[in-house]
Amino acid sequence: MRARTRTARRRVVVLAAVASLGAGLLAGCADDGKDDEGGSSSDGGGKTKITLGLFGTAGFEESGLYKEYEKLHPDIDIQQTVVERNENYYPALINHLTTNSGLQDIQMVEVGNIAEIVGTQSDKLLDLSKYGKKSDYLEWKWEQATTKDGATVGVGTDIGPMAICYRTDLFKAAGLPTDREEVGKLWAGDWNKLVDVGKQYKAKGPKGTTFLDSPGGLLQAIVSGEKERFYDASGKVIYKTNPAVKDAFDLTAQAAEDGLIGNQTQFQPAWDTTIANSKFAAMSCPPWMLGYIKGKSKPEAAGKWDIAQAPKSGNWGGSFLTVPKSGKNTEEAAKLAAWLTAPEQQAKLFGVQGSFPSTPAAYESTEVTSAKNDMTGDAPIGTIFAEAAKNIPVQTIGPKDQIIQQGLTDNGVILVTQGKSAKDAWENAVKTIDNNLDQ
């Protein structure tokens, strides 16, 4: 999974200037009570300060969780530093972990990076298995942050169960059903069926629109449901020889050649414009995408979207909270990380932020079962995503998943919309990926 595909949809006021990826990016400033090695300290008022290094909008502050925790623990003062995009945040995090200095008490790690963290930096991180309850989390989510020796160095925040968001007005204009149950049946169990629906849409849909938004979105959705994608269980890179990846690439390329997909790269300004101008009828849609749609749509689009189950369940997105051992108050930091990711708090986050819980107990909460979104009207989004979450396969995540995913999309299938053959696009993607993997 590619970093920006998760973080670009959440625009926030950046609390830390991203001027460089140097040693100062994630470290606290001298006047906030931290020394050069990072870690917690007294804020001068007798309280223990716990700092968090985050990217995007985790939602902890916006949802009031920090204030709630501080009320429960009057001796704790929580402060966060936020970098807007993971591709700016993560290189600095790796630098600080490598040197074991300048770290915040809690550091967020994106799912596409967790395998690298577990494989190369776990000795710098606290084992959180005695703080978070394994039984609270989806098994595959817990295992993603667990080392071969059994140490769990991250507790899971959200996940990204896959669905398909679609425009009911555009579907109706194309003569397609609009009821979400009927729509889901059109492509149940087979991504090829979804592409076939695209052909029906092209024949009768409004001129100037495409069925799907982008080749990257379709490819991401298909491979997100595979147990093995780019690496096998032994850690070997297999994307070139894995038929599931090549089949997904070829299906996406064929859809692009047939004019069923827009020619934009996701999360870029031109793609945002296609959302605002209603230029496509459907898109791959994890929970956080609803917030992105809302942020980029015109007011009149509210209520015109609906959501159906994807052909197969997959995961696109999610993060973890880790606790570096270098902190001065690792015990308090670990307790806070576990509390922030407990089922009750994850349910509250979904209600406020739209971050879908990685804790199944939260799926029965009112915040999830009664959740609605302005764009999708009365659609029971919490129930739909919960059903998808239960069927996500346990997936092998490799250290360079993001590099491979980005190569397949930005240096691969997008080229088919620009006139290249599927064969040339694949060869270009492979060349780009392998060059990056060798660096």
Side-chain angles (χ1 to χ4, degrees), residues 19 41 233 394 417 426:
S41 66
V394 178
T417 67
W426 173 260

Side-chain angles (χ1 to χ4, degrees), residues 135-157:
S135 59
D136 279 346
Y137 302 84
L138 290 163
E139 181 180 359
W140 59 265
K141 182 74 171 181
W142 184 268
E143 292 301 321
Q144 283 179 334
T146 300
T147 69
K148 293 180 179 179
D149 298 329
T152 301
V153 298
V155 282
T157 58

Side-chain angles (χ1 to χ4, degrees), residues 112-123:
N113 303 124
I114 193 62
E116 183 173 26
I117 293 293
V118 168
T120 65
Q121 304 293 337
S122 61
D123 61 321

Side-chain angles (χ1 to χ4, degrees), residues 230-239 241:
F230 311 141
Y231 290 78
D232 65 16
S234 71
K236 179 183 177 182
V237 177
I238 61 168
Y239 83 94
T241 56

Side-chain angles (χ1 to χ4, degrees), residues 20-43:
S20 71
L21 299 181
L25 181 59
L26 298 179
C29 299
D31 63 357
D32 77 355
K34 296 171 67 65
D35 60 21
D36 289 341
E37 297 301 311
S40 307
S41 66
S42 169
D43 66 356

